[in-house]
Amino acid sequence: MEINDLTPAEERVWRAFATGAAVDFRTAEDEDPAQGEAWGPERTVRAAVLRFLLLNGPEEQGETASLKLAGARIGGVLDLRYATTERAARLRHCFFDDAPQLYGAHIRHLNLSESVLPGLTAHTVRVDDMLRFTRCRFRGPVRLDGAQVSGSVFMEGAEFAAPDAEEPVLQLNQASVGDDIWAPGLRARGRVRLTGASVGGTVNLSGARLDRPGHTALQAQNLSVGADLLAMQLTVHGRVDLRGIRVPGQVGLAFARLSNPDGMALRASSAVIGELWLHETLPIEGCVDLRRAQIELVQADPGVWPAHVHLDGLTYATLAPHEPAERRLPLLERDDDGYVPYAYEQLTASYRRVGDDHAARLVQLAKQRRLRATRAWYGRVWGYVQDATVGYGFRPLRAAVWLLSLLAIGSIAYGLHHPRALKASEAPEFDPVFYTLDLLLPVISFGQEGAFAPDGWYQTLSYALVIAGWILATTVFTGVTRNVSRQ
C-alpha cells in the first residue's frame, strides 16, 4: 500500500503512526460515537489501512510505532486473523461498520474504549499486555473464547447486546487472564459465558446488570479465580450458574438482586469458596442450589433465602451473623430434596464451633422431629412419646417434671387409701411416697411394692405408674445414649 492511495484522513493516521502520535477526529469531548454512521470521508479510515499499519507500518528510529486513533469511522472489516503484531492498537471513541476479525491473532495491546462495534470475533486471541473495552457498546456477540491475556481485561461500563443471536453476547469461556477481569457497571442483554475461564486476580462485576429472564444470564461453571469474585449491587434477571467455581477469597453478592422466579436463580453446587457474602442482599427470587459446595464462611441474613433450596452436601465452617436456631431452621425445612440429615448436622456443628450448645441442641431436636415424619405410623407414635417426655433426650428436665408429677399423684392417692398388706406380720410400715417410687422406678426397689397390693382403680393406677416408669426410663436412656454417642 502506498501513501498516494490514502485519503486525507488516512494519510493523517499514517504519518502519526511511526511516532505513536495520537490522531483525534472528534469535534467535541462528549461526542457520541453511536452517531458514527453519519460521519463522512473526512473522518473515515479504511480497516485495510489500519491492518497494513499494524503489520507493516512505517517506523522512525528512536520512536515506538503504535496506532492511536479516536473519533474515527472504521470502514470495512479489520481482519487480523492469525496475524502477529508488536504494535499497540488504541482505537477509542470509534465507530466500526463491521465486526473486527481477530481469530488467532497475537497482539501486544488492544484498547477499544468508548467505541461502538457490531460485534467482535477474537477466538484464541493472544494479548501480551491488556485488553480494554471500557464503556464500549457492542451490538453483536463478542467472541473471546480461548483468549489468552497476560494482563487484565477491562470492561467497566461496557454494554453487550445481540438481540438476534442465540449464542452468548460475551464469550470468555476457557479464556486465561493473568490479572483481573474488571467490569463494574457492565450491562448485558443476553448470556455472559465464563465457563472454564482462569483468572489470576479478581473478577469484578459490581454494579453490573445482566438481563436474560427465564434463561441463564451468567454462565460461569468451573471458573477459577485467584482472588475474589466481587458482585456487589449486581442485578440479574435470569439464572446465575456458578457450578464448580474455585474462589479462594470472597464471592461478594452484598446488596445484589437475583431474580429468576420460575427457575434456578443461583446455582453454586460443587463450588469451593472461601467466603460467600449475601449481606443486605434482597430476598432471592427463585431457587438456590448449593449442593456439595464447600464454603468457609456464609455471611447471609435468614431472610435472603428463597422458598426453594437444595442444600444436601453443603459444607461450611461458619455462619454469620450469629442468629438463634429458630431463625436458621426454616431454611432447612424448605429444602426441595425433603429431609436432608447432613444439613442439620452442618448447622449443629456451626453452632458448636462458636460455643452455642443451646442452639445446637435445638437443631438436633428439630432434626429428630423432621425424621419422625418419614417413619411408619408406629415409629411416629414412639417419636411423639419421646418428644413429649424428654424432647428426644435434648430436654432431660422434662423427665424430672413428669416423674415429680406422677410421684405427687401416686403419693396423694395412696396416702388417702393405703393398699392392703400381703402379709401383715411381715410388711414394713407403709410409705405412699416410696411405694409410688417403687412403682415408677423399674430397677430400684424400696421393698414397698412387693409388700402391698392395691385393689380397684388403685390397682389400675399402679399399672399405669409402672408403664409410665418404664417409658420414662427407656426414653431417658435413649436420649442419654444419643447425646453421648454424638459427643
Side-chain angles (χ1 to χ4, degrees):
M1 180 175 289
E2 299 293 338
I3 195 170
N4 296 331
D5 299 329
L6 305 178
T7 65
E10 294 169 347
E11 184 176 343
R12 182 179 169 188
V13 174
W14 185 287
R15 295 187 184 280
F17 177 83
T19 59
V23 176
D24 193 344
F25 289 109
R26 289 178 295 170
T27 57
E29 286 290 330
D30 58 351
E31 187 179 63
D32 186 1
Q35 307 300 319
E37 195 170 6
W39 294 343
E42 73 282 357
R43 52 191 302 183
T44 298
V45 179
R46 287 172 294 170
V49 175
L50 301 183
R51 180 181 188 276
F52 184 89
L53 288 174
L54 289 172
L55 299 182
N56 303 292
E59 297 182 355
E60 187 171 317
Q61 190 172 1
E63 301 290 347
T64 301
S66 60
L67 181 60
K68 297 179 181 178
L69 179 59
R73 176 179 179 178
I74 311 301
V77 178
L78 179 58
D79 190 350
L80 293 173
R81 285 176 291 184
Y82 304 107
T84 299
T85 176
E86 294 294 326
R87 282 74 179 271
R90 183 182 180 189
L91 303 168
R92 301 176 64 246
H93 299 278
C94 291
F95 178 88
F96 287 75
D97 286 341
D98 297 286
Q101 299 289 327
L102 307 181
Y103 190 106
H106 186 181
I107 304 173
R108 179 180 177 184
H109 172 97
L110 181 61
N111 185 346
L112 299 175
S113 296
E114 290 92 21
S115 293
V116 177
L117 303 91
L120 174 66
T121 299
H123 308 278
T124 67
V125 67
R126 291 176 57 193
V127 181
D128 291 336
D129 186 11
M130 67 178 62
L131 186 60
R132 187 178 287 276
F133 297 146
T134 301
R135 292 182 293 280
C136 274
R137 282 171 280 179
F138 293 95
R139 302 295 181 248
V142 176
R143 305 178 181 95
L144 289 164
D145 39 307
Q148 298 182 45
V149 182
S150 298
S152 297
V153 176
F154 293 94
M155 296 184 287
E156 60 269 41
E159 296 181 11
F160 300 85
D164 300 325
E166 295 184 1
E167 63 181 306
V169 294
L170 174 59
Q171 303 174 36
L172 275 164
N173 46 298
Q174 310 303 327
S176 175
V177 179
D179 290 332
D180 303 327
I181 293 181
W182 205 254
L186 177 144
R187 299 289 185 270
R189 293 195 299 275
R191 179 164 41 123
V192 174
R193 189 178 184 194
L194 298 171
T195 301
S198 175
V199 181
T202 293
V203 175
N204 190 339
L205 292 170
S206 297
R209 183 183 180 93
L210 311 178
D211 289 301
R212 197 171 181 244
H215 303 279
T216 300
L218 177 59
Q219 185 178 11
Q221 303 103 317
N222 301 312
L223 169 67
S224 177
V225 178
D228 301 316
L229 172 56
L230 304 179
M232 279 74 76
Q233 297 180 320
L234 173 70
T235 299
V236 181
H237 293 98
R239 175 190 294 187
V240 176
D241 194 344
L242 304 179
R243 178 179 59 84
I245 65 169
R246 299 291 185 270
V247 181
Q250 179 188 137
V251 174
L253 290 166
F255 304 97
R257 180 184 179 186
L258 307 180
S259 177
N260 192 30
D262 298 325
M264 188 69 64
L266 174 62
R267 182 186 184 192
S269 56
S270 303
V272 178
I273 299 171
E275 300 179 2
L276 175 61
W277 281 70
L278 292 164
H279 179 65
E280 297 294 336
T281 300
L282 292 174
I284 297 173
E285 301 174 6
C287 186
V288 172
D289 185 353
L290 297 177
R291 285 177 288 194
R292 301 175 302 280
Q294 300 178 40
I295 308 173
E296 286 297 315
L297 167 69
V298 179
Q299 172 80 32
D301 298 319
V304 165
W305 304 108
H308 300 279
V309 295
H310 295 279
L311 304 175
D312 194 11
L314 168 63
T315 302
Y316 52 87
T318 306
L319 278 178
H322 185 74
E323 295 279 356
E326 294 85 352
R327 295 202 65 202
R328 296 289 187 188
L329 282 169
L331 174 63
L332 276 56
E333 296 168 1
R334 298 199 295 267
D335 198 312
D336 284 352
D337 295 323
Y339 170 60
V340 179
Y342 190 80
Y344 288 90
E345 293 301 323
Q346 279 296 297
L347 185 56
T348 300
S350 71
Y351 278 122
R352 284 183 176 151
R353 287 189 190 96
V354 297
D356 193 343
D357 292 331
H358 173 70
R361 288 193 296 271
L362 289 180
V363 175
Q364 285 297 306
L365 178 57
K367 176 188 174 185
Q368 293 301 320
R369 289 172 174 170
R370 189 82 184 277
L371 174 62
R372 181 175 66 206
T374 67
R375 297 282 176 82
W377 68 268
Y378 47 85
R380 291 197 298 271
V381 170
W382 177 237
Y384 281 116
V385 171
Q386 292 188 79
D387 195 357
T389 52
V390 292
Y392 287 98
F394 299 104
R395 292 177 176 173
L397 288 180
R398 282 189 181 182
V401 173
W402 279 102
L403 183 63
L404 291 175
S405 299
L406 294 173
L407 178 62
I409 292 172
S411 298
I412 293 172
Y414 294 117
L416 295 175
H417 187 280
H418 292 192
R420 62 181 177 84
L422 293 176
K423 295 181 180 180
S425 60
E426 300 177 5
E429 183 179 352
F430 180 75
D431 188 312
V433 175
F434 283 96
Y435 180 75
T436 305
L437 283 174
D438 254 354
L439 296 174
L440 286 172
L441 303 178
V443 178
I444 301 175
S445 176
F446 295 100
Q448 293 280 318
E449 180 184 2
F452 298 92
D455 52 18
W457 78 269
Y458 293 99
Q459 186 177 23
T460 303
L461 175 61
S462 69
Y463 294 156
L465 291 174
V466 170
I467 294 172
W470 275 104
I471 291 175
L472 279 173
T474 304
T475 52
V476 169
F477 177 78
T478 302
V480 170
T481 302
R482 184 184 294 118
N483 276 325
V484 171
S485 63
R486 187 174 296 110
Q487 296 296 331

